[in-house]
Amino acid sequence: MTSEIPVHQSLARALTDHGVDTLFGLMGDANLFMVDHYVRELGGKFVPAAHEASSVLMAMGYAHISGEIGVATVTHGPAVTNCITPLVEAVRGHSPMVLLAGDTPASYPRHTQNIDQRELIKCTGAGFEQMRAPATAAEDLARAFYRAKVERRPIVLNMPVDFMWETTEHANRVLDVFSEPRGAAESDVFNEAIGMIASARRPLILAGGGAVAAKDQLIRLADRLEAPLATTLKGKDLFREHPYNIGFFGTLSTPAAYEAMAVADCIVCFGASLTDYTTDHGKLMKGKRVIQIDVDPKAIGGGLHPGAAIIADAGEAADRILYWLDQAEAAPSGFTPELDPAVLTHYPVTASKTKDGTIDYVEALERLETALPKDRILVTDVGRFMLEAWCRISAPGPQSFVPTTNFTSIGLGLQAAIGAGVAARDRTLVLFAGDGGFMMGSLNEFHTLINEELDCIIIVANDSAYGAEHIQFARRQMDPAQSVLKWPEFTDLATAFGAQSYKVDSEAALDTAISSLEERQGTVLIELCLDPADMPPPRV
């Protein structure tokens, strides 16, 4: 005879049924008993956040680094409204996540925290699953996990608080019927694409975040074609060891890479969304044959209209293209022999014009690139500092790179870094944040970072200004005083939380900060004091 248990215990067990060993969140009356049972009775790890938004971002960072579904939980009403910005960030980043959100009792519509959570979640682009009844709790959670995996976006499970102490018979309800779309169907369009590639004199391979798993196949195809390899931001450093890696495609590229892109006559795009930043507002694709290959039909044609579009797995499509090139005995293009590998990924360094009490940002990045631990997870918040950091600070590959840029909101980086660090505790986190973003989001969870005892190096690019606004004032020859701000001492704050901290306002101070990295213990914060009038211009 099967015994019944409270719904909150069934939900906790369902999490372990799905292999969840880490849960991020903030407790309230709709989820506290579930969290307690998950930790106390089932041995799960709970990472408590100081703010509900942080729990979603932590789960997002965890999902990116671990490759597993990230899971977070919050209570109802304002807890859910606090999650809106990070949910949009995670949706646009195609992050597979489940958020277990409480809801107020249906029998009490005048509850002070009552809100139409379904409509609220829908506007973010996240999926919504309603817990239908106490008896279906485990099934409804399983459906949320299934959808998160298939749809590659956050799915919110709405859990009425009055269900939690109702009883149900628990059973393992894992919905394990997912298989990743595969194959590269051959058709007239596929044959046309082969013809475009075979006849190209200067072909180029472009990989986005959707092609990360196809690295080896894309390199084989590029070598066969004698085509250089480029990536979008989401594919950062995928080909960094290849001699004809040209780095970023688009507005972030080096001068030599941009020249190579400009003369290319055929761009073969794998898993790339082709944004305006990637195509330089269409300029880099003008007059070229563009082939777009993506496993997601919705991705095709989103940025521009390709000459040929193929719905297929990136790796298998690359293998099929290579097969037919060999069958046709197509000659290599001869494009890469025209290129100089020594300059393809080299960013120039201009002379410093910084004032006293500040340092040159680009020169500091060049030194940090050498000094920072190589096996790092690179996380970047949003701000004008991020562009040069993306270009000059490398990551082991795109799976070790977490840019919180999908909604271009500042203040999300440290929270995502915590999730990434929890997923890979044996690796060093390197977080780049601006002063505004650090004040907005990082201080909320600095204690969480310390409590989790993560190996983290935080670089705060402090130009004492909101950079985007400073740029706009400067472009119109206006006084930027309204964008200039006076912050508390970041190093004092970090020290108070228990971190090592270094204020870098001179070359000697930078020497001290860099030399400390070898002997660091726990979290280190390095504040780069920068001149807001001497920051590198935006790459747009």
Side-chain angles (χ1 to χ4, degrees):
M1 182 176 179
T2 305
S3 60
E4 293 192 339
I5 60 174
V7 165
H8 70 265
Q9 294 183 14
S10 179
L11 288 168
R13 290 190 187 184
L15 290 175
T16 60
D17 291 343
H18 285 85
V20 176
D21 59 13
T22 304
L23 177 64
F24 302 90
L26 200 159
M27 291 192 300
D29 63 346
N31 64 355
L32 76 166
F33 301 113
M34 176 191 70
V35 171
D36 181 74
H37 190 77
Y38 174 74
V39 175
R40 191 186 305 273
E41 302 298 331
L42 303 178
K45 167 71 174 176
F46 179 63
V47 179
H51 192 277
E52 290 89 358
S54 304
S55 62
V56 176
L57 294 166
M58 291 176 193
M60 183 187 73
Y62 182 91
H64 185 88
I65 297 301
S66 70
E68 305 294 334
I69 293 175
V71 187
T73 183
V74 299
T75 189
H76 41 56
V80 175
T81 63
N82 280 344
C83 294
I84 298 304
T85 294
L87 278 174
V88 176
E89 172 73 20
V91 167
R92 296 186 180 182
H94 307 288
S95 183
M97 288 173 43
V98 171
L99 174 61
L100 289 80
D103 199 0
T104 53
S107 60
Y108 187 16
R110 297 183 67 182
H111 192 291
T112 57
Q113 293 191 342
N114 181 44
I115 191 171
D116 190 338
Q117 295 186 175
R118 180 189 295 271
E119 291 302 312
L120 194 66
I121 297 304
K122 282 171 60 180
C123 77
T124 69
F128 185 90
E129 280 289 327
Q130 178 65 44
M131 187 184 294
R132 296 164 291 167
T136 65
E139 290 181 5
D140 297 332
L141 182 61
R143 174 70 178 169
F145 270 84
Y146 170 77
R147 290 185 60 193
K149 190 173 184 181
V150 174
E151 299 172 24
R152 297 200 65 78
R153 62 171 175 160
I155 306 296
V156 178
L157 178 66
N158 204 57
M159 312 181 303
V161 64
D162 45 346
F163 286 0
M164 290 299 157
W165 282 95
E166 297 290 325
T167 58
T168 184
E169 293 183 1
H170 179 79
N172 188 324
R173 300 295 186 186
V174 173
L175 187 58
D176 193 15
V177 297
F178 173 79
S179 61
E180 190 172 335
R182 304 292 293 180
E186 293 175 20
S187 62
D188 290 343
V189 174
F190 187 86
N191 294 335
E192 184 179 350
I194 296 292
M196 291 180 183
I197 296 168
S199 62
R201 298 185 63 187
R202 292 188 176 95
L204 186 149
I205 303 294
L206 171 60
V212 170
K215 173 182 176 180
D216 293 341
Q217 294 97 318
L218 297 184
I219 288 175
R220 285 196 294 269
L221 177 60
D223 290 345
R224 171 68 173 77
L225 288 169
E226 293 185 345
L229 290 150
T231 74
T232 66
L233 176 66
K234 295 295 183 66
K236 175 176 165 60
D237 291 320
L238 182 62
F239 307 118
R240 63 190 306 262
E241 303 300 332
H242 193 278
Y244 292 104
N245 165 46
I246 64 175
F248 290 128
F249 189 105
T251 57
L252 293 172
S253 65
T254 68
Y258 198 95
E259 289 179 13
M261 298 166 198
V263 300
D265 59 1
C266 180
I267 313 296
V268 191
C269 311
F270 293 87
S273 56
L274 303 181
T275 67
D276 284 348
Y277 298 109
T278 297
T279 67
D280 196 0
H281 305 276
K283 287 189 288 187
L284 282 170
M285 301 303 197
K286 192 171 293 184
K288 306 182 193 320
R289 289 168 289 185
V290 178
I291 299 158
Q292 190 175 6
I293 300 166
D294 206 294
V295 76
D296 181 6
K298 299 188 297 296
I300 300 295
L304 54 79
H305 193 82
I310 301 169
I311 309 302
D313 171 78
E316 293 201 11
D319 283 343
R320 295 306 295 168
I321 292 169
L322 183 60
Y323 172 81
W324 285 113
L325 290 174
D326 288 342
Q327 289 296 302
E329 298 182 351
S333 69
F335 188 17
T336 51
E338 299 177 12
L339 305 175
D340 180 2
V343 300
L344 288 176
T345 57
H346 176 68
Y347 290 94
V349 178
T350 57
S352 173
K353 297 180 291 184
T354 56
K355 63 184 181 182
D356 290 344
T358 65
I359 62 166
D360 183 86
Y361 183 48
V362 168
E363 291 180 1
L365 291 177
E366 293 286 314
R367 293 194 58 191
L368 286 166
E369 164 64 10
T370 302
L372 291 168
K374 300 305 176 190
D375 184 25
R376 56 191 176 236
I377 296 172
L378 176 63
V379 184
T380 60
D381 207 318
V382 166
R384 64 171 166 173
F385 69 89
M386 69 188 179
L387 304 177
E388 292 296 332
W390 290 341
C391 295
R392 299 180 188 275
I393 304 295
S394 63
Q399 291 155 314
S400 297
F401 174 53
V402 186
T404 58
T405 56
N406 299 295
F407 199 26
T408 56
S409 169
I410 68 172
L412 310 184
L414 184 133
Q415 303 93 309
I418 292 172
V422 170
R425 289 183 177 273
D426 59 333
R427 300 179 63 194
T428 300
L429 290 168
V430 175
L431 168 67
F432 278 82
D435 48 307
F438 186 82
M439 283 295 294
M440 181 180 289
S442 296
L443 285 180
N444 282 345
E445 301 299 341
F446 208 100
H447 80 289
T448 306
L449 177 69
I450 299 297
N451 288 347
E452 289 299 314
E453 299 181 341
L454 299 175
D455 178 12
C456 184
I457 301 169
I458 302 172
I459 314 294
V460 179
N462 182 13
D463 60 1
S464 298
Y466 282 132
E469 291 71 23
H470 193 279
I471 290 169
Q472 293 194 57
F473 282 124
R475 280 176 174 169
R476 296 177 183 271
Q477 289 79 52
M478 295 173 64
D479 182 358
Q482 298 305 319
S483 67
V484 177
L485 301 157
K486 184 173 178 58
W487 303 117
E489 289 289 338
F490 292 135
T491 50
D492 290 347
L493 291 172
T495 300
F497 277 112
Q500 297 173 257
S501 60
Y502 300 89
K503 184 171 184 174
V504 175
D505 54 7
S506 66
E507 288 297 319
L510 181 59
D511 291 341
T512 300
I514 286 176
S515 65
S516 75
L517 295 179
E518 288 291 333
E519 304 299 326
R520 73 186 186 283
Q521 293 182 347
T523 295
V524 174
L525 181 140
I526 298 175
E527 177 188 358
L528 303 180
C529 299
L530 307 174
D531 181 353
D534 191 41
M535 289 291 286
R539 298 171 180 268
V540 293

